[in-house]
Amino acid sequence: MNLLLAAVIAASTPTTAAVSTEVECRSRSGVDSSICLATLYAGAGRHEEAAAEFEKVAQLSLEIASAQGAPQVDRALAAAGNMWIAAGQPGKAALALDRALAGTWLRAEHRGEALLDRARAAEAQNDLKTARARVSEAAQTISADPFLWYFSAALAVREGNVPLARSAINRALSLAPEDPTILFEAGHVAHLADDNAGARGYWTRAAAADPAGPSGKAAREALAMLDVPLTVQSTAAAPK
C-alpha cells in the first residue's frame, strides 16, 4: 500500500480497515465517514471516487484544523493525487499533489512518495522536465524504493537518455532483482542499447516470474518480436 494512503487510513478509527459496506461508512459523520469511504473505494479499485473522498477528507480536516494546519490535510491531498493517477486523470493529480507539497506536513518518505507521484503525473502530461526534477527530489528520501528507479529508467527512455536509463534500471534491479515489471523494463532498456542478448535474458526472466500476469505477457510478446527477422524475403515470382 502507498505510504500516504496508509498514513491517512491510520488516522481513522480502529475499525475503518474492517469496514466493507458503504452503508456503514455513511452512518458515520464528518472526516471519519469520508476516510472510511475513501479507504473502501481505494481497496475496491474505484479510484476516482476514492480520490474525491480523499479531497473531501482534506477539506473537512482543514475546516477543523488549527491556524497552523493539520498533517491529515496534506496527507489526504497526496493520497487523492495518487488515486487521481490511478483513475487516469493526471491533471487533477497534479493539482492535488501540488497543494500537498506546498504544505509543511509531508516529511521524509511521505514527501518522497508524493514527489514521485507528482513526477508520474507530469510524465503522463508529457512534461518530462518537471517529471525529472521531481524524481531527483524524491531520490533524496526514498532512494531505497525500487519503483523510483524503475520510473526513472522509463522516464529516461522517453528522454532519449539510454545511459541514464541503464544506470537507473540497474539500481532498481539491485533492490528488486526478481520483480517482473522491473525485469521487463530492463529488457526494454537493454534492447534500446542494442544489447539483444541482455534483452532476451531479462524478458525470459520476466516471463518466468509472471507467467499469468501483464508483465509476463508483455515479455513473451517482446521475445516474439525479437525473434522476427530484420528482413523478409519476398515470395513474389521473379520477372521472366
Side-chain angles (χ1 to χ4, degrees):
M1 178 182 291
N2 181 282
L3 285 173
L4 291 158
L5 296 179
V8 176
I9 291 168
S12 65
T13 60
T15 57
T16 295
V19 171
S20 59
T21 67
E22 289 188 44
V23 172
E24 185 172 349
C25 288
R26 294 186 186 282
S27 70
R28 305 184 181 196
S29 62
V31 173
D32 189 39
S33 176
S34 288
I35 290 176
C36 180
L37 287 168
T39 305
L40 178 67
Y41 295 152
R46 294 163 64 176
H47 302 123
E48 187 168 343
E49 292 167 283
E53 287 298 331
F54 276 125
E55 289 191 337
K56 189 174 180 181
V57 170
Q59 182 58 40
L60 291 171
S61 297
L62 184 61
E63 290 172 1
I64 63 175
S66 67
Q68 293 182 337
Q72 191 159 274
V73 175
D74 296 344
R75 291 175 181 174
L77 285 169
N82 181 268
M83 288 291 98
W84 283 127
I85 290 172
Q89 298 197 44
K92 290 184 177 181
L95 289 173
L97 289 160
D98 282 342
R99 288 176 62 198
L101 290 164
T104 60
W105 290 100
L106 290 181
R107 297 165 186 165
E109 290 89 351
H110 289 164
R111 186 170 183 82
E113 290 271 357
L115 286 165
L116 178 54
D117 277 346
R118 184 63 181 88
R120 294 170 61 204
E123 188 273 337
Q125 294 177 296
N126 295 314
D127 182 358
L128 304 188
K129 182 178 180 180
T130 295
R132 177 55 64 191
R134 298 294 85 80
V135 164
S136 297
E137 289 183 69
Q140 297 175 26
T141 52
I142 57 170
S143 61
D145 184 346
F147 183 75
L148 169 73
W149 301 110
Y150 159 82
F151 179 80
S152 179
L155 178 61
V157 168
R158 289 202 62 189
E159 293 169 319
N161 191 334
V162 175
L164 179 57
R166 297 196 77 163
S167 173
I169 203 64
N170 285 338
R171 289 286 296 271
L173 286 166
S174 72
L175 294 165
E178 301 304 322
D179 185 288
T181 303
I182 291 174
L183 286 167
F184 175 77
E185 187 63 23
H188 186 201
V189 172
H191 188 239
L192 287 175
D194 295 323
D195 179 8
N196 285 350
R200 184 183 300 281
Y202 287 125
W203 285 335
T204 299
R205 288 170 60 190
D210 189 32
S215 294
K217 181 176 182 292
R220 288 190 295 275
E221 291 174 351
L223 284 167
M225 291 296 294
L226 198 62
D227 290 333
V228 174
L230 293 178
T231 58
V232 178
Q233 191 173 22
S234 174
T235 58
K240 297 180 180 179

